């Protein structure tokens, strides 16, 4: 601590008060006070030289001081320590720094150790002495501080010095000084515990919890109340309703039934199904006969079709190149030694669009029953364009088909999820830098609509964040979130239709988990450039990575290229893309290889950069951060699937 003891020493007379910390012996504090008194009297030697009665005492004091003479002391004035404030180092073996302030003949002293390595904050000790001056000025009701007034408020000053010596804020000091002249000392000491929170307008957690419990009990009590209205009240309400909106009886009109049927036929529902769905299938009668004999001649119908000629079998085979450095098979449909089919050859190209080119992969192997008709031509019609609907047993149009197939899931309450972005850069097999940024999102219930206006509803609850051992920094949206300490937060926000970010955090680089380790190596020999990318998954991931894309930025536009496995080449961007369906957690390292000729010397450095794109979603987050309700057994929100994805994931 910066200040070890506080004391009140009058200019003349014995010390009035001494307050020390628990570990600082009072004997050492008294030794420092005695040394300060002797030094003060020694510095005031010229004042006492005119008094004959005290000449002997002054000479004895001057003998103890090393290197001081009467002439040198007299040049300092009558009383150098009579200034308003200052500090002095006293003691021989154990040296102490005494910070003092003079208030109307009373020295307020703060004692601390005399350090030589600047380990003690002297300014904090000066601040504590200034607070002690405020205490005695308040106790004496002004700057006219005398020993008699101090003795009247000795107990209050003693307890106030004990609190000030331990460290006190300006807000609590003001509250304590306001109650210094109160009824009891206990009120002065304990009334300032929650003063800072009250002045800043904050409530302690105990009162908030009590109010929430009381509110919940009131809601439960109102929900369980059952009552019945008396018949007189119901009858009176019916009379008032009849006066406000009188019921007019419509006279029965003698209208024939045939006219009603005609009116219903004229007014049709624009969203009703077409009547052709209810008609029986007519294949022959549905077509108009023609007497033109050329309409039945198939040769005339097929005369305008161009049939392309297929290439010969030799054209589909590859060409063997024996030039040094370019050995291999080039051209044709096949890119490797295996005799693959046309669909397997272009499998890499079809994966770039998220699926194969053959629509049969989306259906099962079993064939469904064929419908009667000519390829469904009987379903073509020129009606009002309304879609088919499902009809009930009574023949009335019901729910549309798309509403039966797609069912929207309704929200039970506020939903929260975490989205994390992991970035890393590998230089060969070494990790150069990494970083993870996480965002906590909140999706509230959509605002309720009453007519054309939206009613303002607020969402308010508390939650806590766990698993934050690796978190470096937290940032919260202060307009909607407030911190309750110990990892707990309170949310209060109006309803919104889109998810809103509440918290953002980043992890320490040394504690950031890597879902994928990547290594890129290249070899430039002659005019041939070979590149290989090795990758391996983190075995501690909750689930294997799927749909991972590796992108390799080529230095030049290749004329010839050989890859393994198959990849997609984007010539305008000079990029190669591999699509990996799944990377096992504990499998062997995967390899992506490419070889291509370049028109450059071996000394020229060719820049080859690879990047990885992936994303995964699950219950657990990548960093281990999770969201929990503030109190067990109470569901204020629902945690949906968390997500982590790659940001800038490079290897060079």
């Amino acid at each position: 601590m910066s200040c070890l003891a506080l004391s009140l020493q009058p200019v003349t007379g014995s010390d009035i008060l001494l307050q020390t910390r628990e570990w600082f012996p009072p004997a050492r504090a008294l030794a420092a006070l005695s040394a300060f008194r002797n030094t003060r009297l020694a510095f005031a030697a010229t004042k006492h030289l005119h008094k004959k009665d005290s000449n002997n005492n002054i000479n004895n004091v001057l003998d103890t001081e090393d290197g001081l003479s009467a002439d040198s002391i007299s040049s300092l004035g009558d009383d150098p320590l009579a200034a308003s404030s200052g500090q002095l180092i006293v003691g021989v073996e154990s040296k102490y720094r005494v910070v003092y302030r003079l208030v109307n003949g009373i020295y307020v002293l703060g004692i601390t150790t005399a350090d030589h390595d600047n380990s003690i904050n002297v300014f904090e000790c000066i601040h504590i002495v200034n607070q002690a001056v405020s205490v005695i000025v308040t106790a004496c009701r002004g700057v006219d501080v005398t020993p008699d007034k101090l003795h009247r408020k000795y107990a209050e000053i003693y307890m106030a010095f004990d609190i000030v010596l331990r460290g006190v804020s300006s807000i609590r000091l003001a509250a304590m000084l306001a109650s210094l002249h109160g009824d009891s000392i206990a009120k002065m000491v304990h009334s300032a515990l929650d003063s800072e929170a009250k002045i800043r307008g904050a409530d302690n957690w105990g009162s908030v919890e009590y109010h929430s419990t009381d509110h919940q009990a009131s809601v439960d009590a109102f929900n369980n109340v059952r009552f019945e209205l008396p018949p007189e009240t119901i009858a009176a309400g019916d009379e008032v309703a009849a006066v406000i909106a009188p019921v007019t009886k419509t006279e029965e009109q003698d209208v024939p039934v045939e006219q009603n049927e005609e009116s219903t036929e004229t007014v049709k529902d624009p969203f009703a199904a077409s009547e052709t769905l209810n008609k029986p299938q007519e294949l022959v009668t549905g077509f108009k006969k023609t007497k033109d004999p050329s309409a039945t001649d198939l040769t005339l119908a097929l005369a305008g079709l161009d049939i392309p000629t297929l290439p010969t079998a030799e054209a589909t085979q590859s060409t063997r190149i024996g030039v040094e450095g370019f050995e291999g098979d080039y051209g044709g449909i096949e890119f490797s030694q295996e005799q693959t089919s046309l669909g397997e050859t272009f499998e890499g190209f079809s994966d770039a669009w998220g699926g194969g080119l053959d629509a049969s992969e989306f259906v099962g192997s079993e064939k469904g029953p064929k419908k009667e008709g000519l390829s469904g031509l009987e379903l073509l019609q020129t009606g009002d364009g309304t879609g088919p609907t499902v009809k009930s047993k009574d023949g009335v149009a019901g729910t549309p088909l798309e509403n039966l197939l797609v069912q929207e899931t309704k929200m039970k309450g506020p939903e929260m999820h975490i989205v994390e972005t992991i970035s890393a850069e590998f230089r060969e097999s070494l990790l150069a830098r990494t970083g993870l940024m996480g965002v906590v999102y909140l999706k509230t219930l959509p605002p309720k609509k009453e007519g054309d206006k939206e009613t303002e509803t607020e969402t308010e609850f508390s939650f806590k964040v766990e698993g934050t051992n690796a978190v470096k920094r937290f940032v919260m949206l202060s307009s909607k979130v407030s911190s309750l300490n110990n990892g707990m937060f309170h949310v209060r926000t109006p309803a919104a239709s889109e998810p809103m970010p509440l918290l953002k955090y980043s992890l320490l680089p040394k504690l950031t988990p890597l879902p994928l380790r990547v290594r890129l190596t290249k070899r430039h020999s002659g005019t041939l450039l070979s590149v290989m990318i090795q990758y391996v998954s983190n075995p501690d991931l909750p689930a294997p990575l799927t749909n991972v894309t590796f992108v390799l930025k080529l230095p030049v536009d290749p004329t010839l290229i050989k890859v393994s496995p198959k990849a997609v080449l984007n010539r305008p961007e000079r990029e190669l893309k591999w699509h990996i369906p799944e990377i096992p957690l504990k499998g062997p390292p995967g390899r992506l290889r490419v070889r291509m000729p370049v028109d450059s010397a071996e000394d020229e450095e060719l820049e080859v950069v690879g990047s990885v794109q992936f994303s995964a979603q699950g219950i657990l987050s990548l960093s281990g951060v999770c969201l929990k309700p503030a109190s067990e057994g109470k569901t204020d929100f629902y945690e949906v699937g968390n997500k982590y994805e790659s940001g800038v994931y490079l290897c060079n």
Side-chain angles (χ1 to χ4, degrees):
M1 289 294 293
S2 59
C3 191
L4 300 177
L6 286 174
S7 177
L8 297 178
Q9 185 179 102
V11 176
T12 57
S14 60
D15 297 343
I16 298 176
L17 184 145
L18 175 63
Q19 180 65 268
T20 63
R21 298 303 302 267
E22 294 86 349
W23 59 84
F24 187 61
R28 295 190 179 184
L30 292 175
L33 294 177
S34 177
F36 177 79
R37 182 187 296 275
N38 293 334
T39 305
R40 181 168 57 83
L41 295 176
F43 282 173
T46 57
K47 181 178 180 180
H48 297 284
L49 284 175
H50 298 287
K51 297 180 180 179
K52 298 180 180 180
D53 297 338
S54 59
N55 285 338
N56 297 329
N57 296 332
I58 296 302
N59 292 330
N60 294 333
V61 173
L62 291 176
D63 293 339
T64 59
E65 298 294 331
D66 187 14
L68 293 177
S69 62
D71 296 335
S72 61
I73 294 175
S74 62
S75 63
L76 297 176
D78 290 343
D79 195 353
L81 298 186
S84 61
S85 62
Q87 52 182 303
L88 186 69
I89 297 179
V90 299
V92 180
E93 296 180 355
S94 299
K95 292 187 176 182
Y96 298 97
R97 185 185 301 271
V98 179
V99 179
Y100 64 90
R101 279 194 63 179
L102 181 61
V103 183
N104 194 28
I106 302 296
Y107 282 97
V108 181
L109 307 178
I111 303 173
T112 182
T113 58
D115 61 320
H116 299 284
D117 54 353
N118 296 327
S119 60
I120 302 299
N121 190 355
V122 182
F123 296 98
E124 186 176 355
C125 184
I126 295 173
H127 179 65
I128 293 176
V129 171
N130 293 336
Q131 289 181 339
V133 171
S134 301
V135 171
I136 64 172
V137 168
T138 304
C140 296
R141 299 182 184 271
V143 295
D144 187 14
V145 180
T146 59
D148 295 336
K149 293 182 180 181
L150 294 177
H151 284 296
R152 293 186 194 128
K153 288 288 183 180
Y154 188 85
E156 287 82 355
I157 296 174
Y158 185 86
M159 295 301 298
F161 272 25
D162 182 65
I163 298 174
V164 169
L165 190 60
R166 298 173 185 272
V168 64
S169 62
S170 58
I171 296 177
R172 185 179 177 186
L173 178 64
M176 186 173 62
L177 296 180
S179 59
L180 189 64
H181 295 280
D183 299 334
S184 62
I185 300 177
K187 183 179 179 181
M188 179 195 71
V189 175
H190 298 289
S191 63
L193 295 178
D194 297 334
S195 300
E196 187 172 356
K198 292 179 180 179
I199 292 174
R200 294 180 179 177
D203 295 333
N204 54 1
W205 179 247
S207 62
V208 173
E209 187 177 7
Y210 171 75
H211 289 315
S212 63
T213 306
D214 190 12
H215 177 71
Q216 186 64 30
S218 301
V219 171
D220 295 340
F222 278 112
N223 290 335
N224 296 328
V225 170
R226 296 292 184 269
F227 58 90
E228 295 182 359
L229 292 175
E232 296 81 5
T233 305
I234 298 176
D238 294 339
E239 293 177 359
V240 174
V243 173
I244 296 175
V247 180
T248 58
K249 297 183 179 180
T250 58
E251 298 180 357
E252 297 181 357
Q253 300 178 358
D254 298 334
V255 181
V257 182
E258 297 179 356
Q259 294 183 2
N260 293 335
E261 293 179 355
E262 291 178 359
S263 61
T264 55
E265 290 179 358
T266 56
V267 180
K268 292 184 178 180
D269 187 5
F271 297 98
S274 177
E275 296 178 356
T276 56
L277 294 177
N278 300 327
K279 291 183 179 180
Q281 298 179 357
E282 298 178 357
L283 298 180
V284 180
T285 58
F287 294 95
K288 295 182 179 180
K289 295 182 179 180
T290 178
K291 296 180 180 180
D292 189 3
S294 62
T296 58
D297 192 358
L298 296 178
T299 58
L300 296 176
L302 300 176
L305 297 178
D306 295 335
I307 300 176
T309 58
L310 295 176
T312 59
E314 290 79 5
T316 60
Q317 299 297 327
S318 58
T319 304
R320 179 69 179 178
I321 302 299
V323 181
E324 182 179 0
F326 299 95
E327 298 87 351
D329 296 334
Y330 297 92
I333 296 178
E334 301 169 351
F335 292 90
S336 59
Q337 298 294 338
E338 299 89 3
Q339 296 294 331
T340 56
S341 62
L342 181 63
E344 295 176 354
T345 302
F346 290 96
E347 180 182 357
F349 293 91
S350 62
D351 289 345
W353 283 274
L357 299 178
D358 188 7
S360 62
E361 66 181 30
F362 296 100
V363 298
S365 58
E366 299 180 358
K367 295 183 179 180
K370 293 184 178 180
K371 297 182 179 180
E372 298 179 359
L374 298 176
S375 301
L377 293 177
E378 69 279 357
L379 296 178
L380 297 177
Q381 59 182 351
T382 56
D384 49 2
T386 57
T389 57
V390 179
K391 291 196 172 184
S392 60
K393 296 180 180 180
D394 300 336
V396 182
T399 308
L401 291 177
E402 58 271 14
N403 292 348
L404 292 178
L405 296 176
V406 180
Q407 296 181 355
E408 297 182 358
T409 57
K410 294 183 179 180
M411 295 177 57
K412 298 180 181 179
E415 296 179 353
M416 299 185 69
H417 66 280
I418 302 175
V419 177
E420 296 177 337
T421 303
I422 175 72
S423 300
E425 181 179 355
F426 295 90
R427 295 177 183 174
E428 290 188 356
S429 60
L430 300 178
L431 177 63
R433 55 182 178 174
T434 182
L436 187 142
M437 180 69 69
V439 183
V440 178
Y441 287 93
L442 168 65
K443 184 178 182 182
T444 63
L445 292 172
K448 298 180 181 180
K449 292 185 178 181
E450 294 183 359
D452 297 336
K453 297 182 180 180
E454 294 183 355
T455 59
E456 295 182 359
T457 57
E458 287 189 349
T459 300
E460 183 177 3
F461 62 91
S462 301
F463 67 95
K464 60 182 177 180
V465 182
E466 296 181 353
T468 59
N469 297 329
V471 174
K472 177 182 179 182
R473 184 184 180 188
F474 257 107
V475 179
M476 65 180 180
L477 187 61
S478 58
S479 61
K480 299 179 181 179
V481 185
S482 58
S483 176
L484 303 178
N485 296 328
N486 298 327
M488 299 187 66
F489 300 91
H490 186 75
V491 184
R492 184 176 183 181
T493 176
S497 57
E498 297 295 332
M500 63 186 72
L502 298 181
L503 302 175
K504 290 186 179 181
Y505 59 89
S506 59
L507 297 188
L508 295 171
K510 62 180 180 180
L511 299 179
T512 301
L514 293 176
L516 196 67
R517 294 193 68 90
V518 188
R519 178 189 180 189
L520 187 144
T521 57
K522 66 176 181 178
R523 180 176 299 173
H524 188 192
S525 60
T527 59
L528 195 63
L529 177 65
S530 301
V531 182
M532 181 177 66
I533 298 177
Q534 292 178 308
Y535 59 90
V536 64
S537 176
N538 188 350
D540 297 332
L541 291 179
L545 290 175
T546 58
N547 298 326
V548 183
T549 302
F550 291 86
V551 181
L552 181 64
K553 192 73 173 180
L554 301 177
V556 295
D557 187 9
T559 55
L560 297 175
I561 190 169
K562 189 175 183 179
V563 297
S564 175
K566 299 171 186 179
V568 179
L569 175 62
N570 187 356
R571 286 190 179 275
E573 300 292 337
R574 295 190 301 183
E575 291 181 350
L576 266 178
K577 288 187 179 181
W578 286 274
H579 180 75
I580 309 301
E582 182 179 350
I583 300 178
L585 297 179
K586 298 183 180 180
R591 293 185 299 178
L592 307 175
R593 292 177 292 183
V594 58
R595 176 181 292 181
M596 55 180 290
V598 292
D599 297 334
S600 60
E602 295 184 8
D603 299 337
E604 184 179 355
E605 185 68 21
L606 297 177
E607 184 179 2
V608 181
V609 180
S611 61
V612 189
Q613 301 172 3
F614 58 85
S615 64
Q617 190 170 3
I619 301 176
L620 302 177
S621 61
L622 180 62
S623 60
V625 176
C626 59
L627 306 174
K628 299 292 183 181
S631 58
E632 297 182 358
K634 189 175 182 181
T635 306
D636 293 329
F637 66 94
Y638 296 89
E639 185 177 6
V640 296
N642 300 322
K643 179 183 179 182
Y644 66 90
E645 58 186 2
S646 61
V648 182
Y649 218 88
L650 302 177
C651 56
N652 50 29

